[in-house]
């Protein structure tokens, strides 16, 4: 089985190859990928917070470098690449591609192709979708909508054992998803995806994408920032108001700009 590649449309940004083209172009590529018989294609979704994490955690940087595609999931990255391009230090990244939008597009495309999608991780999604139903004879497997399945994996992925692994294998055999959306937060979700490459390949998965807490928003637990705030790059503020515990993590945004302006 071959590995699909998206060779053009990439720009080097702080030693990471970020996708730099339109979402429409990406969706065309994804459509052809879903029709092919190829090894799983890994999509990771760094934002400025995560790029800063690569400065502190070299393992995380290596995970990102192993992705088949890194989409620029944050306004700060677009602004930063624009500023670096003025200084002649980098090329400009064309457009932000938000992971939350791409995840929803993937579900729609799969529905049109009669393919299924499995969300791995996240919490209580069966409660957020009133019409959900648990799959009989399976531990922790729910059908959330027509072609969307969900399993929370375990309570703490860092302590998952062989029983959890066997459960995942059973679930993959049952659902046979074309797409897996891994919702465990960075860097756990990237680590989990890469560590399960072989299993995902054997299970016929075509696309593996990390989604963090995107389904907490899509399924209505949290609100998404209004378009005007997203366009001004203030999505982080909207999330902070809803989840004040994020303040510590969001300090990484300051570090990102500090690094970019004074160190790069
Ligand atoms: N999560 C999980 N199991 C874990 C740790 C996290 O299912 O062991 C889920 C958590 O419920 C949330 C998502 O992973 O839905 C992580 O979201 P986070 O807000 O960290 O990601 P972001 O959206 O900021 O990338």
């Amino acid at each position: 089985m071959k590995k699909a590649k998206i060779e053009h449309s990439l720009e080097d940004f702080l030693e990471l190859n970020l996708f730099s083209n339109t979402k429409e172009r990406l969706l065309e590529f994804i459509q052809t990928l879903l029709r092919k018989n190829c090894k799983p294609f890994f999509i990771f979704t760094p934002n400025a917070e995560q790029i800063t994490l690569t400065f502190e955690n070299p393992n995380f940087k290596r995970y990102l470098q192993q992705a088949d595609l890194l989409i620029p999931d944050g306004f700060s990255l677009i602004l930063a690449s624009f500023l670096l391009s003025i200084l002649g230090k980098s090329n400009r990244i064309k457009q932000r591609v938000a992971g939350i939008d791409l995840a929803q597009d993937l579900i729609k495309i799969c529905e049109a192709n009669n393919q299924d999608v499995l969300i791995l991780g996240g919490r209580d999604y069966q409660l957020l979708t009133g019409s959900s139903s648990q799959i009989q004879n399976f531990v922790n497997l729910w059908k959330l909508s027509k072609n969307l399945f969900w399993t929370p994996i375990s309570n703490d992925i860092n302590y998952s054992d062989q029983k959890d692994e066997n459960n995942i294998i059973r679930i993959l055999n049952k659902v046979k998803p074309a797409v897996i959306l891994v919702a465990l937060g960075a860097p756990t979700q990237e680590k989990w995806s890469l560590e399960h490459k072989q299993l995902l390949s054997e299970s016929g998965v075509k696309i593996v994408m990390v989604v963090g807490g995107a389904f907490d928003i899509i399924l209505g637990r949290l609100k998404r920032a209004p378009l005007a705030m997203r366009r001004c790059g203030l999505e982080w503020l909207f999330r902070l108001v809803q989840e004040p515990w994020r303040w510590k993590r969001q300090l990484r945004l300051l570090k990102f700009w500090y690094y970019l302006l004074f160190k790069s």
Side-chain angles (χ1 to χ4, degrees), residues 50 121-123 125 155-157 183-185 212-213 216 239 246 249:
Q50 292 184 13
R123 291 198 177 98
Y125 290 166
N155 277 339
D156 188 337
I157 192 66
L184 296 169
D216 293 328
R239 287 197 88 171
R246 279 187 182 270
R249 250 170 69 169

Side-chain angles (χ1 to χ4, degrees), residues 14-37:
L14 302 175
E15 297 175 37
L16 296 170
N17 276 326
L18 296 192
F19 178 70
S20 175
N21 209 320
T22 60
K23 195 176 77 164
E24 289 65 36
R25 168 73 194 88
L26 178 57
L27 291 179
E28 277 169 30
F29 174 77
I30 281 173
Q31 300 255 22
T32 54
L33 205 71
L34 283 169
R35 274 186 239 117
K36 278 187 189 159
N37 199 10

Side-chain angles (χ1 to χ4, degrees), residues 165-176:
E165 286 291 302
N166 291 343
N167 195 36
I168 290 169
I169 295 170
R170 274 194 79 216
I171 287 173
L172 289 173
N173 285 335
K174 164 82 181 162
V175 180
K176 295 196 171 36

